[in-house]
Amino acid sequence: MATPELLNLVGGEWRRPEGADRAPVTNPATAETLAWVPLSPAGEVDLTVRAAAAAFPAWRDTPVGDRVQSLFRLKALMERDIVELSRTITLECGKTYAESEGELRRGIENVEVASGMPSLMQGYNNEDVARGIDEHLFRQPLGVVAGITPFNFPGMIPLWFMPYALGAGNCFVLKPSERVPMTTQHLMRLCQEAGFPDGVVSLVNGGKETVDALLDHPQVRAVSFVGSTPVAKYIYARATANGKRAQCQGGAKNPAIVLPDADMDMSTRILADSAFGCAGQRCLATSVVITVGEAREAFSERIVDDAHTRRVGFGLDDGVQMGPVISEASRERIHGLVDAGVREGGRLLADGRGATVDGFADGYFLHPTVVADVDPHGDFAHTEIFGPVLTLLHADTLDDAIALANARAFGNQACLFTTSGAAARAFRHQVKAGNVGINLGVAAPMAYFPFSGWGDSFFGDLHGQGRHAVEFFTETKVVIERWPSAWSRRF
Ligand code: NAD
């Protein structure tokens, strides 16, 4: 069978962009080419955005209660197709089937929350702000907005933004990661089936040139981005310089502190899943554990045991706990970073490099890796690795551990493991991170809370999800009215 060529969705029509280069979409477990994705040039972006802008007036004038009917249908359709969608995520992204289904469930949760848009986008008002004068605040959609998303959650991250943008009356253009574009093809077909009018939801595949054309297009009013920090910074600067709203989520290096009073078995289980789940390719993966006092020995032994016994393999096979990383380049980069960590004095308690999986000789596999004794202020302890590599640091007191956690430029997540409420409260109060977990390893906010990265993990002010997303995708209009009562005497 010929390798499929993926398409763009422009003004309700599936099309192949003219003159576009193409890139292979690779199954990271087998290195086989699954599809070809077009790298859309600027002209294709212009066509897409203009079609979206043409669809905007009618969509904006569709009552919000009618708009959300398409979101209700989208939720039902995603549930209907969840097995096929999950398999596609595993094939193109590498994670296990359970992880793929889990991310879709978190995506669907955002569709559910955005279906409450009739209440979420309500304004507020006051009668008689001055004698006979009333004042109202309305929320109105922006117009055409764009989402640019990373490879690691193709079924969830677009939904941190898209349902809110659509429910609020905007037209949404998605530029998914060119490494995992197949899930989005399916999602877009479901949007069509759910009844969103032509042009209200669009898909433009591509890479940097495609992104730059979106950032420069005068009809794109806002940009939502998730990806690495250098690209987040770049996109934030270019979008805002062009007068657009921007919310840009970046990379991470998430610390977790384990106190000696923690339940060690539970903490290890949770932290192993956090560090090695999705092969460490989660922006909320714990990548540094700081043990305090006697926790060092108890935790190190257990985590090394888990690293050695975790079952690595093809994500659709039963019992597999961890899939491959996304690409050969990524695996090489991770190998190089571990080498650098060892040069900085790191001691390998578990070395997952050189991993092989029976029957998958070409896959980009690594086993979990645990590195201890690195310099807490060196590069290794501060660089995002984005692979199944956990660094162990140590501190004598909780305050010292919090200081180590706060020494990072990133601020996506920080977690604490303890049975002490007072320690938990001190940590919660002092730690510099936007998503905080107590006895949790992946503190991913539910859809009705914002995904609150800080520091180099976020550029902007309003985050994705929940009320922040509603505010991001609407602008406020304040209307002050005078209707003198004398005029009513005419009737
Ligand atoms: P990436 O930055 O390489 O790519 C993200 C998107 O930006 C893709 O759509 C890509 O096509 C585009 N892009 C890449 N380089 C570009 C450039 N120079 N100019 C314009 N556009 C460009 O990220 P990735 O490797 O796909 O994803 C992994 C990264 O995403 C990690 O750093 C991870 O921490 C981060 N991430 C963050 C969050 C969060 O919530 N903060 C969530 C998921 C992933």
Side-chain angles (χ1 to χ4, degrees):
M1 214 166 72
T3 308
E5 299 267 353
L6 305 185
L7 301 174
N8 291 341
L9 179 61
V10 178
E13 184 202 332
W14 286 95
R15 51 175 268 127
R16 186 163 293 134
E18 275 158 36
D21 290 339
R22 59 180 198 171
V25 182
T26 307
N27 179 341
T30 60
E32 133 206 37
T33 299
L34 298 168
W36 292 99
V37 60
L39 301 175
S40 303
E44 179 77 0
V45 171
D46 183 50
L47 218 60
T48 311
V49 174
R50 281 195 285 118
F56 174 62
W59 183 240
R60 179 222 145 127
D61 287 345
T62 302
V64 61
D66 293 346
R67 288 198 301 255
V68 298
Q69 296 311 312
S70 295
L71 289 174
F72 284 117
R73 285 191 290 270
L74 178 61
K75 169 193 154 61
L77 292 168
M78 287 185 71
E79 304 269 8
R80 182 195 71 188
D81 286 4
I82 199 153
V83 171
E84 201 188 324
L85 282 162
S86 304
R87 290 178 66 89
T88 304
I89 294 175
T90 295
L91 288 177
E92 66 178 355
C93 191
K95 60 180 68 173
T96 66
Y97 179 87
E99 289 168 341
S100 298
E101 184 176 335
E103 73 156 283
L104 281 165
R105 299 250 169 242
R106 299 306 300 263
I108 290 170
E109 192 186 291
N110 279 279
V111 181
E112 289 169 4
V113 171
S115 300
M117 197 54 72
S119 335
L120 288 170
M121 74 180 294
Q122 280 177 332
Y124 46 90
N125 49 29
N126 278 85
E127 215 175 24
D128 290 317
V129 290
R131 208 168 285 276
I133 295 182
D134 307 327
E135 189 158 341
H136 314 270
L137 179 140
F138 295 96
R139 290 195 171 280
Q140 297 190 333
L142 304 174
V144 180
V145 298
I148 299 157
T149 52
F151 80 80
N152 62 333
F153 284 100
M156 173 180 74
I157 289 181
L159 299 172
W160 286 352
F161 312 107
M162 190 175 86
Y164 303 95
L166 296 174
N170 300 279
C171 293
F172 190 82
V173 177
L174 179 62
K175 203 303 284 175
S177 167
E178 62 276 39
R179 290 190 272 179
V180 291
M182 291 167 62
T183 308
T184 325
Q185 298 271 308
H186 191 150
L187 187 65
M188 289 290 142
R189 290 191 196 282
L190 295 187
C191 286
Q192 286 188 298
E193 195 179 341
F196 289 104
D198 291 350
V200 167
V201 188
S202 310
L203 171 66
V204 62
N205 286 290
K208 179 171 168 48
E209 185 185 348
T210 320
V211 171
D212 286 347
L214 283 168
L215 299 177
D216 292 343
H217 200 291
Q219 285 175 296
V220 173
R221 294 283 321 279
V223 175
S224 304
F225 170 84
V226 181
S228 57
T229 289
V231 182
K233 269 186 183 165
Y234 163 76
I235 288 187
Y236 187 73
R238 189 152 169 174
T240 53
N242 284 331
K244 303 181 195 316
R245 288 188 180 187
Q247 47 178 192
C248 299
Q249 302 186 202
K253 182 86 176 179
N254 301 310
I257 298 174
V258 180
L259 295 185
D261 70 347
D263 178 328
M264 275 312 149
D265 288 334
M266 182 188 92
S267 307
T268 310
R269 204 173 53 246
I270 292 173
L271 280 168
D273 283 339
S274 173
F276 309 137
C278 296
Q281 299 173 121
R282 262 195 300 229
C283 64
L284 295 182
T286 294
S287 43
V288 179
V289 167
I290 307 164
T291 50
V292 174
E294 296 136 40
R296 173 162 30 192
E297 212 170 304
F299 180 77
S300 306
E301 267 174 25
R302 286 170 171 80
I303 196 77
V304 168
D305 202 39
D306 187 290
H308 283 138
T309 51
R310 192 151 283 253
R311 204 168 147 218
V312 178
F314 176 43
L316 293 182
D317 284 347
D318 283 345
V320 165
Q321 294 170 295
M322 190 179 111
V325 296
I326 188 69
S327 63
E328 183 56 31
S330 186
R331 183 165 66 167
E332 287 300 311
R333 186 182 47 80
I334 295 165
H335 283 184
L337 284 167
V338 173
D339 285 341
V342 171
R343 281 198 300 277
E344 274 184 35
R347 196 161 49 89
L348 282 165
L349 303 186
D351 185 356
R353 296 171 299 170
T356 52
V357 171
D358 282 349
F360 293 90
D362 295 330
Y364 314 131
F365 292 98
L366 285 148
H367 278 284
T369 296
V370 181
V371 191
D373 300 339
V374 295
D375 174 1
H377 305 292
D379 282 348
F380 188 73
H382 292 263
T383 304
E384 179 174 48
I385 296 177
F386 222 56
V389 178
L390 183 64
T391 300
L392 303 185
L393 300 179
H394 185 71
D396 291 332
T397 65
L398 174 61
D399 282 346
D400 290 349
I402 293 175
L404 279 180
N406 285 348
R408 247 148 284 281
F410 297 112
N412 223 29
Q413 172 187 276
C415 297
L416 177 73
F417 289 79
T418 184
T419 47
S420 157
R425 188 179 186 283
F427 174 77
R428 185 179 86 190
H429 188 64
Q430 291 171 38
V431 80
K432 290 186 185 155
N435 302 298
V436 173
I438 307 290
N439 296 315
L440 286 171
V442 180
M446 299 297 285
Y448 31 89
F449 286 94
F451 195 103
S452 285
W454 282 15
D456 277 0
S457 300
F458 182 69
F459 304 91
D461 40 22
L462 294 166
H463 299 83
Q465 298 201 147
R467 283 185 227 157
H468 275 219
V470 178
E471 280 196 45
F472 183 78
F473 290 118
T474 55
E475 50 196 348
T476 50
K477 180 178 276 179
V478 175
V479 178
I480 308 175
E481 295 182 328
R482 171 186 278 131
W483 295 105
S485 53
W487 294 356
S488 68
R489 294 204 194 103
R490 282 183 282 164
F491 306 106

